[in-house]
Amino acid sequence: MRDVIVAGIGETPMGRYPDRSLHDMIAEAGRAALIDAAVDPARLGAAYVGNFAGQPLTGQAHMGPLLAETLGIPHIPALRVEGACASGGLALYQAVQAIRHGMHDVVLVGGVEKMTHQTTAVVTEALTSAMDVELEAQSGLTFPGIFAMVANRYFHEHRDVSREMAQVAVNAHDNALLNPHAQLHKAIDVEKVLSAPRIADPFGLYDCSLVTDGAAFLVLTAADVDTGSTARRVRITGSGHGGDTLTLHGRESLTSFRATRQAAATAYEQAGVGPGDIDLAEVHDCFTITQIINTEDLGFFEPGRGGDAVAEGRTALRGDMPINTSGGLKAKGHPVGATGISQAIEVITQLRGDAGERQLATADIGLTHNLGGTAGTCVINIFEGES
Amino acid sequence: MRDVIVAGIGETPMGRYPDRSLHDMIAEAGRAALIDAAVDPARLGAAYVGNFAGQPLTGQAHMGPLLAETLGIPHIPALRVEGACASGGLALYQAVQAIRHGMHDVVLVGGVEKMTHQTTAVVTEALTSAMDVELEAQSGLTFPGIFAMVANRYFHEHRDVSREMAQVAVNAHDNALLNPHAQLHKAIDVEKVLSAPRIADPFGLYDCSLVTDGAAFLVLTAADVDTGSTARRVRITGSGHGGDTLTLHGRESLTSFRATRQAAATAYEQAGVGPGDIDLAEVHDCFTITQIINTEDLGFFEPGRGGDAVAEGRTALRGDMPINTSGGLKAKGHPVGATGISQAIEVITQLRGDAGERQLATADIGLTHNLGGTAGTCVINIFEGES
């Protein structure tokens, strides 16, 4: 298998953009990535785009040709990949495979979502399409409700980590204060999180990730492709895609996600590294409990001990296992189809040493973890900066 | 690149199934394909599913895990691919690449759509998501309107082929009479087509393809994988994906689709064959004019002469270039995300010699052609039966 290089990155700042179209956000982020890569667009062999809710929220599907036309490369074979909130990660996974297995030498991969112009009710219904509509949604479940069940089960199996969940949110807001691309720039504290309006017990408002507009793009190349980029070269050394039942009732465990463990095993093996080698990770914090579970499934901490690591400050920006230095889905934002790509951009920015005030002292190996639905889909990528 | 074998096929009959769920149709078609392949599902490396309108028509996305759970293989990495009416073809294209380039040895690929329970207005709006919503749909365009413009331009550049278009519909209905899986079993004649209620001039009712429920699945393997199937082995020897602008106004020509020409060039080159070697083709007859244009873009007939070939009976079941022996989108049906896979099933059934009353005398090399939107996406596959 061939090595994969991230030659260029580009994203819109994440936020609420009532006046920006899908075209507009794709143009900004896609062009930025192509310019950053300094690669002739004529060399592109294919384009992949992650999008989840274009149809219910904007009436737009068929985003492969839309992005290709918008970026002035209309004859590039382009397609949309969808796997709920992991749509961006899945598009990246497909793009990595295309380079790695010799289908193409240069590809463009992006994600985009436009969400904030719709009402909460419409957005909630659109997000519900990521669960099993016939078997789960008709019982009245929403995603806050599903993950609240997961949290309550976690409390039952281990202990009540409400306070540690609150600290997850505080860390996210703290990191986002240092990220110009983050949607929220607002300091909070644990007491504010714990006293916030209830969404679905044990979740309050600050336990839930954001509704966000945004786009994020990468240019990937084979290692032997010469580009004009002068940034530190970053390789994608491991890439895993794990699957599980769509429904929660089909699971053996509610407090550990098999799709994560499966994708992680693949990615670690390919990269020849283990959890202890990872300098930073962007993990899918759709809810605060999800981040804690993910860090356990990724092997960073023992099962049931993810909360302890948060309490001890280990996952904070200056901790020994910094999680979501970008601010994460909670505070950088969660433009669903773009999230998996935006996570990669944070890791690459850290590996390049370009993260400004939130730059880590050591950033050589990073990991992204992107979940879809109630973890029916998981994509994990491992990035290494060349020395 | 490795050779790709179609080890198993399975589909629901196409039709109107108000009482059948997505799960139900996936279970029938997916299980049939796995049984036909006689391959241990534990050997599956991945699953790909084409679906276009699950969100607007059924509220369901994230169909990778849905199909995996439904078929009892929940830990298979599974993902949805979307490219409008070419979603099935694109899923097949991705699956072919995965085998060909050594990512996996055995994969499952399917398509599914549930449409007929919705009103015509809802279906029309859902289909509209395949065009550029911001730039085209807001002008009031629908797909019959867009392709009617294409037909009128064709009449202007070449000649009025209304009567030949009517014959395309008649051929489709005639072939479908011999296909137990077809949605329509109803003989029509040219006068009936020409006098039908107008949809968008020059299209009458019978110039337009159907709204259909259905699912179709294939099992693909590398050539060296031993399966229990006793059917004639069919290889996929060429596979092309072409792209074009999403919008019609971005095109150089309205009467020839570059995405088709691009995908065809790739597929023919890979297979080492030309248009004259193809014994039968399933082409994307979303409207009657589209079939005529497609047969020209595929090189079966000269530009502007596709209508002549229809008038001369060459594209009929017993002609020298039989098109849509299944009945096509027009009469077998058009379950959008499943269409590209269902086309392949007709070609494979003919190559296996299992097509019953509609069996061709010579069926060794067949082609499928699947378009998305106004030909912003095209996927072409070439199938060869082993001797």
Side-chain angles (χ1 to χ4, degrees):
Chain A
M1 292 195 297
R2 304 195 301 177
D3 279 354
V4 179
I5 302 289
V6 182
I9 64 177
E11 69 179 357
T12 63
M14 302 303 152
R16 290 179 171 269
Y17 302 121
D19 296 333
R20 300 195 70 178
S21 64
L22 291 164
H23 302 73
D24 187 33
M25 294 190 288
I26 288 169
E28 177 182 342
R31 284 178 191 161
L34 288 166
I35 289 168
D36 184 48
V39 65
D40 181 354
R43 299 186 66 178
L44 289 169
Y48 303 82
V49 59
N51 172 265
F52 168 55
Q55 283 168 305
L57 299 183
T58 68
Q60 183 68 63
H62 209 189
M63 289 198 199
L66 185 146
L67 97 77
E69 181 172 10
T70 299
L71 293 172
I73 47 172
H75 305 304
I76 300 297
L79 63 90
R80 172 184 169 214
V81 173
E82 188 268 317
C85 300
S87 296
L90 274 178
L92 175 54
Y93 179 82
Q94 293 295 107
V96 167
Q97 303 306 319
I99 299 285
R100 187 175 266 183
H101 293 279
M103 287 171 56
H104 303 292
D105 294 327
V106 184
V107 302
L108 181 68
V109 56
V112 64
E113 209 77 61
K114 180 170 170 63
M115 309 179 74
T116 68
H117 62 297
Q118 292 285 8
T119 63
T120 300
V122 171
V123 171
T124 299
E125 187 174 350
L127 293 171
T128 299
S129 70
M131 68 178 76
D132 191 310
V133 172
E134 186 184 356
L135 300 178
E136 294 182 305
Q138 295 199 5
S139 69
L141 272 177
T142 61
F143 273 105
I146 284 191
F147 278 96
M149 290 200 299
V150 168
N152 282 307
R153 181 71 196 177
Y154 187 98
F155 292 4
H156 173 75
E157 291 184 16
H158 302 299
R159 65 179 178 83
D160 184 327
V161 292
S162 298
R163 205 165 180 87
E164 291 80 359
M165 286 160 48
Q167 186 64 46
V168 165
V170 170
N171 290 354
H173 280 243
D174 283 351
N175 293 347
L177 278 172
L178 306 179
N179 184 355
H181 280 194
Q183 182 170 354
L184 294 186
H185 295 106
K186 173 184 172 183
I188 55 174
D189 60 28
V190 166
E191 295 314 317
K192 186 175 180 74
V193 178
L194 291 175
S195 62
R198 295 291 91 185
I199 300 296
D201 188 71
F203 296 151
L205 182 63
Y206 291 100
D207 290 288
C208 307
S209 56
L210 305 180
V211 173
T212 306
D213 303 322
F217 277 78
L218 307 176
V219 176
L220 306 184
T221 71
D224 58 357
V225 171
D226 198 26
T227 71
S229 176
T230 56
R232 183 186 189 190
R233 274 165 60 107
V234 172
R235 288 175 189 255
I236 300 179
T237 53
S239 191
H241 171 195
D244 207 340
T245 60
L246 187 58
T247 65
L248 198 61
H249 61 248
R251 304 293 174 78
E252 292 169 14
S253 168
L254 302 191
T255 59
S256 170
F257 299 137
R258 180 170 166 154
T260 295
R261 301 197 312 273
Q262 181 182 347
T266 304
Y268 286 139
E269 184 186 356
Q270 288 178 358
V273 302
D277 299 309
I278 304 298
D279 297 321
L280 75 155
E282 292 282 307
V283 311
H284 196 91
D285 57 329
C286 50
F287 299 95
T288 48
I289 190 67
T290 323
Q291 175 173 317
I292 290 174
I293 289 173
N294 297 337
T295 58
E296 297 172 6
D297 287 334
L298 286 163
F300 298 152
F301 312 115
E302 293 296 312
R305 308 302 295 271
D308 298 348
V310 174
E312 293 159 8
R314 298 181 60 190
T315 61
L317 186 62
R318 302 303 168 198
D320 68 314
M321 185 62 248
I323 301 295
N324 294 357
T325 56
S326 69
L329 285 60
K330 174 68 201 78
K332 182 183 183 185
H334 186 17
V336 176
T339 291
I341 309 289
S342 183
Q343 291 177 319
I345 287 178
E346 174 66 12
V347 166
I348 295 156
T349 301
Q350 290 280 357
L351 264 53
R352 285 180 173 185
D354 292 338
E357 289 186 85
R358 67 187 191 287
Q359 180 64 49
L360 300 173
T362 301
D364 292 315
I365 305 181
L367 177 149
T368 57
H369 165 276
N370 191 198
L371 278 186
T374 320
T377 299
C378 182
V379 176
I380 292 172
N381 282 292
I382 296 174
F383 301 81
E384 297 192 29
E386 294 187 355
S387 46
Chain B
M1 291 194 299
R2 303 195 302 176
D3 279 354
V4 179
I5 303 289
V6 182
I9 63 176
E11 69 178 358
T12 64
M14 302 301 151
R16 291 178 170 269
Y17 303 120
D19 296 332
R20 300 195 70 178
S21 65
L22 291 164
H23 301 73
D24 187 33
M25 295 190 288
I26 288 169
E28 177 181 344
R31 285 178 192 160
L34 288 166
I35 290 168
D36 185 47
V39 64
D40 180 355
R43 299 186 66 179
L44 289 169
Y48 303 81
V49 58
N51 170 266
F52 168 56
Q55 282 168 306
L57 299 183
T58 68
Q60 184 68 63
H62 208 189
M63 289 198 199
L66 185 145
L67 98 76
E69 181 172 10
T70 299
L71 293 173
I73 46 172
H75 306 304
I76 301 296
L79 62 91
R80 172 185 169 213
V81 173
E82 188 268 317
C85 300
S87 297
L90 274 178
L92 176 53
Y93 179 83
Q94 293 296 106
V96 167
Q97 302 307 319
I99 300 285
R100 186 176 265 182
H101 292 279
M103 286 170 58
H104 302 292
D105 293 327
V106 184
V107 302
L108 180 69
V109 56
V112 64
E113 210 77 63
K114 180 171 171 62
M115 310 179 73
T116 68
H117 62 297
Q118 292 285 7
T119 63
T120 300
V122 170
V123 171
T124 300
E125 187 174 350
L127 292 171
T128 299
S129 70
M131 68 179 75
D132 191 309
V133 172
E134 186 183 357
L135 301 177
E136 294 183 306
Q138 296 199 4
S139 70
L141 272 177
T142 61
F143 274 104
I146 283 192
F147 277 96
M149 291 200 298
V150 168
N152 281 308
R153 181 70 196 177
Y154 187 97
F155 292 3
H156 173 76
E157 290 184 16
H158 302 299
R159 65 179 178 84
D160 184 326
V161 291
S162 299
R163 206 165 180 86
E164 292 80 358
M165 286 159 48
Q167 187 64 47
V168 165
V170 170
N171 290 353
H173 281 242
D174 284 352
N175 292 347
L177 278 172
L178 306 179
N179 185 355
H181 281 194
Q183 182 170 355
L184 294 186
H185 294 106
K186 173 183 173 183
I188 56 174
D189 59 27
V190 165
E191 295 314 316
K192 187 174 179 77
V193 177
L194 292 174
S195 62
R198 295 291 92 183
I199 301 295
D201 188 72
F203 295 152
L205 182 63
Y206 291 99
D207 290 287
C208 308
S209 56
L210 305 179
V211 174
T212 306
D213 304 321
F217 278 76
L218 306 176
V219 176
L220 306 185
T221 71
D224 57 357
V225 171
D226 198 26
T227 70
S229 176
T230 56
R232 184 186 188 190
R233 273 164 59 106
V234 173
R235 287 175 189 257
I236 300 180
T237 54
S239 191
H241 172 196
D244 206 340
T245 59
L246 186 59
T247 65
L248 197 62
H249 61 247
R251 303 292 173 79
E252 291 169 16
S253 167
L254 303 190
T255 60
S256 171
F257 299 136
R258 179 171 167 153
T260 295
R261 302 198 311 274
Q262 182 182 346
T266 303
Y268 285 139
E269 184 186 356
Q270 287 177 359
V273 301
D277 299 309
I278 305 297
D279 296 321
L280 75 156
E282 292 283 306
V283 312
H284 196 93
D285 58 328
C286 50
F287 299 94
T288 49
I289 189 66
T290 322
Q291 176 173 318
I292 290 174
I293 289 174
N294 297 337
T295 58
E296 298 172 5
D297 287 334
L298 287 164
F300 298 152
F301 312 115
E302 293 296 312
R305 307 303 295 272
D308 297 349
V310 174
E312 294 160 8
R314 299 181 61 190
T315 61
L317 186 62
R318 303 302 168 198
D320 68 313
M321 185 63 248
I323 301 293
N324 294 357
T325 56
S326 69
L329 285 61
K330 175 68 199 79
K332 181 182 183 185
H334 186 17
V336 177
T339 290
I341 309 289
S342 183
Q343 291 177 318
I345 287 178
E346 174 65 11
V347 167
I348 296 155
T349 301
Q350 289 280 358
L351 266 51
R352 286 180 172 185
D354 291 338
E357 290 185 86
R358 68 186 191 287
Q359 180 65 47
L360 300 173
T362 301
D364 293 315
I365 304 181
L367 177 149
T368 58
H369 165 275
N370 191 198
L371 277 186
T374 320
T377 299
C378 182
V379 176
I380 292 173
N381 283 291
I382 296 175
F383 302 80
E384 298 192 28
E386 294 187 356
S387 47

